[in-house]
Amino acid sequence: MDERREESRVDGSDDGAAGSRFVERFAAQLVQAGMARMPARVFAALLSSERGALTSAELSERLKISPAAVSGAVRHLAQVNMVSREREPGSRRERYRVQSDQWYDALLERDALLKNWQATLREGVDHFGLDTPQGRRINNTLEFFRFLEKELGSMMQRWAAHRAEHLNG
């Protein structure tokens, strides 16, 4: 471990140049995957913070963005259950916390969406029929989502076993 990383860990600082590079790089990768830019930056900043939680002012300062940008990003992240809001004890200020199992929870929500999509797709197949090009395309999509649903359940079980073995719970 180089000296700068050691210093950062010793004093608890997580907002140095290396931390900023991580935040911007990971945020850019999340953007490439389809997440909006500000929520991606806020999520990466929370994920890389020592406590996993920051106030709006702390996020504004770290990311050099306006409180309004933080508010919009947090609103989006809260809607998709990637962060939660909590009150600081004895204060009216909110602190935003990244969930320890945010990816697991996000995938579980996607599972519910997949079920809804499958129901609609089944209606589409019934309506258009398998003897039409659109019916076959819709059925292909339906079968893909059925496959995903089955694999997602199995994958989540394997993740739970992996987490218990490698992450102590």
Side-chain angles (χ1 to χ4, degrees):
M1 185 180 308
D2 72 26
E3 212 171 286
R4 282 176 302 184
R5 288 174 74 192
E6 188 65 37
E7 283 176 19
S8 177
R9 292 184 123 176
V10 169
D11 72 7
S13 172
D14 52 13
D15 60 348
S20 292
R21 281 192 303 275
F22 167 79
V23 166
E24 296 306 327
R25 185 170 180 194
F26 189 52
Q29 291 169 351
L30 292 171
V31 168
Q32 284 179 328
M35 187 182 280
R37 184 170 180 264
M38 277 304 145
R41 292 182 73 214
V42 167
F43 179 76
L46 288 168
L47 186 65
S48 65
S49 69
E50 185 175 352
R51 296 179 315 274
L54 296 167
T55 65
S56 179
E58 291 167 332
L59 284 162
S60 290
E61 183 179 320
R62 278 182 192 219
L63 299 174
K64 298 181 181 17
I65 59 176
S66 71
V70 170
S71 178
V74 167
R75 184 173 34 259
H76 172 78
L77 292 168
Q79 286 173 346
V80 295
N81 292 325
M82 291 184 75
V83 301
S84 61
R85 298 170 192 248
E86 54 191 43
R87 291 269 183 218
E88 285 188 346
S91 171
R92 294 182 57 197
R93 290 182 4 172
E94 286 187 328
R95 181 172 299 280
Y96 308 110
R97 179 172 301 283
V98 70
Q99 303 302 309
S100 60
D101 272 342
Q102 71 275 354
W103 299 114
Y104 180 85
D105 293 340
L107 282 176
L108 285 180
E109 282 196 24
R110 294 292 183 244
D111 189 44
L113 282 174
L114 287 175
K115 289 180 191 314
N116 290 338
W117 291 352
Q118 286 177 51
T120 302
L121 290 165
R122 271 192 295 281
E123 290 174 16
V125 170
D126 292 344
H127 175 75
F128 292 106
L130 289 173
D131 56 337
T132 66
Q134 61 269 45
R136 287 189 295 275
R137 278 193 307 272
I138 294 168
N139 190 59
N140 187 38
T141 303
L142 173 59
E143 286 304 318
F144 176 74
F145 287 138
R146 284 180 176 156
F147 174 81
L148 275 182
E149 180 185 15
K150 179 182 169 199
E151 291 299 311
L152 192 57
S154 172
M155 184 176 64
M156 295 309 224
Q157 290 172 349
R158 289 191 313 272
W159 166 246
H162 178 87
R163 182 178 57 197
E165 181 181 340
H166 297 280
L167 300 174
N168 298 324

